[in-house]
Amino acid sequence: MRALATAKLEKPERRLSLILLLAPAVVWLGLLIIAPHIQLFALSLQEKIGPRLYETGLRNYVEFFGESIYWMTLIRTTALSILATALTLLIAFPVAYYIAKMLRGRTKSLLFVLALLPFWVSELIRTLGWIIILRETGLISSALLSLGIITEPIELLGNDAAIIIGLVYTSMLFMVVPLVTVLDSLDDRLVEAGYDLGGNGFTVLREIIIPHAMPGIVAGCIVVFMLTLGNILTPALLGGKNSLWFTDQIFQKFIVRFNWEQGSAFGFLLLLTSSLIVWAGLKLTRQSLATTMR
Amino acid sequence: MANVPDLDVSNVIKRFGEVPAVDRVSFTVPTGSFFSILGPSGCGKTTLMRMIAGFIEPNSGDIRIKGEPTLGIPPNRRPTNMVFQHLALFPMMTVADNIGYGLRRRRVSKADITRRVEAVLDRVGLAGAGPKKVDQLSGGQKQRVAIARCLVLDPALLLLDEPLGALDLKLREQMKVELKQLQAKLGTTFLYITHDQSEALVMSDQVAVMNAGRFEQVGTPQELYYDPQTPFVAGFVGNTNSWTGQVARHAGQQVEVATEDGPVLKAHAVDPVTAGDKVSLFVRPEAIALRRETPPDGAENLVHGSVQNLLFDGGNSMAIVQDTATGHMVTVALPQTGEFAHLSQGEQVSLSWQAGQARCFAAEAPNASRTP
C-alpha cells in the first residue's frame, strides 16, 4: 500500500519526502561521525613545534612506527581481539544452535532472554563481577584453597587470560543474536536431507549448517571484533597495568599527556587496522558486507 | 534372494503421547514397483515414511529393507533415500555439488563423482545443468535434481514425500507422467506418499489408502476405484454419491436398501449385512446413466429429478440433479457425446444405474473413529 501511495506522488513531492526521510540519518552521520572524524584527521596531521605553534606533517604517524611499544601494542591488541572473537564464536555457536534448532516455543524464548539478561546490567558491573570471581581473595582462589588443591591464594587477574575471559563474556550477546537469527532460518529438512544422503554430524555441520550460517557468523564476528578492539573498560579492569590495550594508549595521549594530535593519529590507525581486518575477513570468507548485514 | 521384498513393514505402531499416529500397519513392497500411500493430511502417512527413512523409531513392530532389519539404524546408514516435500535442495551448492553430496560422503573419487553426476543428470534430462545454482532452476528442474540426488546413490528404496505438492497444476500433471516413466525406466522401487488421489492412481502399481493411522485397503488403482472395501475408500478415492438407510431385504450380496430419504435402492453389499442393519450406500457419478426420457424397462435403480446445477469442467463435467420425490442431490457425470452439451438448469431427467455399481457398507457406529 505504501509503495502504491509513493508511486502516485508527483515528482517534486517525491523528492521532498525522500529528503525529509533521509534528513535525520544525514544529520546524525554528518554531525556525530563524519565531522568529528574530519576534525580528528586534520588534528592528526598537526605537528607541534612550539607552544601554540603547529605545522602540517606526518610526524605523529612516523612516531607510531618509530616507537616499538606503540605498534607492538596495536598488533597485540589486534591478535587478542581476533582470539577473543574466535573463542566467542566457538562458545556462542552451540548455544545459538541449541536455542534456534533444538528448542520450541516458551523454553526457546526463555533461553534467548536468559542469554540477553546479563546485558541489562552495565558493562562496568559485569566486569566487576569477574573481578570478584578472579581476584586473589575471590571465588575461584578460595574454592581451590578450601579444596586443598593450592596452598596459597592465587591472583588470576592482571593477565591476558583474564582479559580474554572478560571480552568473550562481554561479546557473547552480539554473537548469539545474529547466529540465532540465521540458524532460525535454516530449514530443518536441509539437515535431514544431509543425514539421509549419508552425511554424519560433522559433515552436515561443515557442508550445510555452517555455509548457511556464514552471513550470521561473519556479521557476529565483525561486531564482536570491532567492540573488542575498541573496548577500554574490560582490558583496563581485568588486565590492570599489564593490559597494554591500544585504546588505553589513545586514552593516555588524549587525557594524561594532553597530546591530542598524537591521540588523533593513533585513533586513525586503529580505525584503519579494524577496517583492514574486517575487509580481509570478508575476502577470506567470500562474503560481502551487503549479504552479511541483511 | 529373488523373492525378498524391498520393503517389509510389519505391525508398526507409533504413538505421539496417547494418540497412535500409525496403528498396526503392515505391508510389503515388491522389488521394482511403484507403491503409493494415499491419505488425507494427518492420517499418519508422513510419520510412517519418516520411520522407514529412519528419522523416527516405531514404538513397536518391524521394518525390513531388502530383508535386513533397520530398527536402530540411523538414516545415513539406511539404503533408502528421500525426496522431501519441499525438495530440500542445498541452496549453497551448485546442482552438481547437490548431486555429488552423497557420493562425497561415500568417499568416491573426484573423477568418479564428476562422471556419475553427469550420467545421472543425463538420465533425468538435465545434461549440462551441473554448474547451475539451485535457484536458477525452474520448479520441474528442481524436482528432477532432487530425484537425481537420490538416484545417484542407487538406493534400494526411494521415498517420495509429496514431492509434487509445491508445483502448479499443469507442471504437476506433466511430472506425474515423467515420474512414472522414470520409475519404469530405472526399475528402482518407489514409495510415494500423497494426499492427491489422482497422483496415486495415475502413477502407482499398488496403492495403500491410509486413514487415522491405519491402512484401509491395499490394492491396484483399479481395485480401489472399482471395488472399494471400506466406506472411507469408497468416499476418498474418486467422486461418489452417498445415501444412508436400512437393509430392507437381502439375498446373498444383493440387497435392497430403504434409504432415509425414501426410495428403495438395489445394491451390492461389500460387508455381510442382514435385514434391519443400518448401511451406507455409494454410487459413482460415472456409473449413473443420464437420460432425458424414462429408460426402457430393466433399470435396477431409477430416480427422476431436475437439473439443479451444471459444473462444467471440460471432460470432467458434472450435473447435480435433485431427486423430485425426495430432494436428495445426486451428482452425475455428463457424457461427452454431444447429446447433453446444451443441458440446462431445471430440465427434467432420469437417472438409472445397475445394482452392481452401487456399493453398500454396514454403517459405522456413530462414535466410530474412522471418519476423517
Side-chain angles (χ1 to χ4, degrees), chain B residues 181-202:
Chain B
Q181 287 171 343
L182 191 68
Q183 193 271 338
K185 192 167 85 181
L186 300 169
T188 308
T189 311
F190 277 34
L191 179 64
Y192 189 97
I193 68 173
T194 180
H195 63 264
D196 182 322
Q197 47 146 320
S198 138
E199 285 175 21
L201 296 182
V202 168

Side-chain angles (χ1 to χ4, degrees), chain B residues 5 11 13 67-68 106 113 123 129 204 213 217 260 275 278 281 314 317 335 353:
Chain B
N11 252 323
I13 300 177
E68 300 289 322
R106 291 185 183 172
I113 290 177
R123 259 199 297 179
S204 319
Q217 186 177 349
E260 282 170 4
K278 280 196 180 307
L281 204 146
S317 299
W353 63 90

Side-chain angles (χ1 to χ4, degrees), chain A residues 60-218:
Chain A
N60 292 321
Y61 290 93
V62 173
E63 219 162 85
F64 168 83
F65 291 103
E67 195 71 64
S68 68
I69 182 85
Y70 294 150
W71 56 263
M72 291 284 273
T73 308
L74 184 57
I75 289 174
R76 170 190 148 78
T77 308
T78 310
L80 283 181
S81 293
I82 291 173
L83 178 66
T85 307
L87 283 175
T88 311
L89 176 63
L90 234 56
I91 297 167
F93 198 89
V95 173
Y97 191 84
Y98 186 72
I99 292 175
K101 288 281 126 195
M102 310 295 218
L103 299 177
R104 292 277 172 277
R106 281 173 68 107
T107 20
K108 182 174 180 162
S109 17
L110 183 76
L111 236 77
F112 197 39
V113 169
L114 276 182
L116 243 141
L117 211 57
F119 294 84
W120 292 10
V121 184
S122 88
E123 193 187 344
L124 181 67
I125 308 293
R126 269 181 282 141
T127 311
L128 287 174
W130 277 109
I131 293 182
I132 292 172
I133 295 172
L134 295 176
R135 68 181 169 182
E136 210 172 343
T137 53
L139 269 176
I140 294 181
S141 179
S142 40
L144 288 178
L145 260 182
S146 62
L147 285 173
I149 296 171
I150 51 172
T151 48
E152 272 173 42
I154 47 163
E155 176 65 89
L156 295 167
L157 287 171
N159 53 41
D160 290 354
I163 297 179
I164 294 285
I165 288 173
L167 288 175
V168 168
Y169 180 67
T170 307
S171 310
M172 212 57 187
L173 172 76
F174 302 97
M175 193 65 92
V176 169
V177 170
L179 285 182
V180 166
T181 315
V182 78
L183 288 173
D184 241 349
S185 71
L186 173 67
D187 188 346
D188 289 342
R189 276 173 295 233
L190 289 185
V191 176
E192 284 182 351
Y195 281 108
D196 185 63
L197 294 164
N200 55 30
F202 174 71
T203 50
V204 168
L205 181 73
R206 196 189 61 199
E207 297 237 0
I208 294 156
I209 299 173
I210 290 182
H212 175 88
M214 212 55 200
I217 292 174
V218 173

Side-chain angles (χ1 to χ4, degrees), chain A residues 186-187 189-201 203-204 206-209 211-212, chain B residues 50 55 75-76 80-82 84-86 88-93 101-102 104-105 149-150 153:
Chain A
L186 173 67
D187 188 346
R189 276 173 295 233
L190 289 185
V191 176
E192 284 182 351
Y195 281 108
D196 185 63
L197 294 164
N200 55 30
T203 50
V204 168
R206 196 189 61 199
E207 297 237 0
I208 294 156
I209 299 173
H212 175 88
Chain B
R50 292 174 65 82
F55 291 116
N76 52 355
T80 56
N81 290 116
M82 187 156 168
F84 287 77
Q85 194 166 10
H86 296 283
L89 294 176
F90 305 131
M92 52 292 233
M93 301 179 198
Y101 174 89
R104 290 200 296 279
R105 301 289 79 78
R149 186 172 73 172
C150 295
L153 298 174

Side-chain angles (χ1 to χ4, degrees), chain A residues 216-287:
Chain A
I217 292 174
V218 173
C221 285
I222 290 176
V223 174
V224 168
F225 175 74
M226 299 259 213
L227 283 174
T228 310
L229 196 69
N231 199 327
I232 183 157
L233 194 69
T234 305
L237 286 180
L238 298 178
K241 283 205 179 69
N242 302 328
S243 75
L244 283 176
W245 212 252
F246 196 66
T247 45
D248 189 51
Q249 302 268 15
I250 300 175
F251 177 82
Q252 298 283 335
K253 290 291 171 207
F254 270 99
I255 308 297
V256 181
R257 305 280 164 78
F258 218 69
N259 188 348
W260 281 46
E261 297 75 28
Q262 183 90 64
S264 303
F266 280 19
F268 258 87
L269 286 165
L270 186 66
L271 181 67
L272 222 63
T273 311
S274 67
S275 308
L276 200 75
I277 300 283
V278 167
W279 176 81
L282 285 172
K283 280 281 158 254
L284 215 67
T285 54
R286 295 203 200 102
Q287 297 285 313

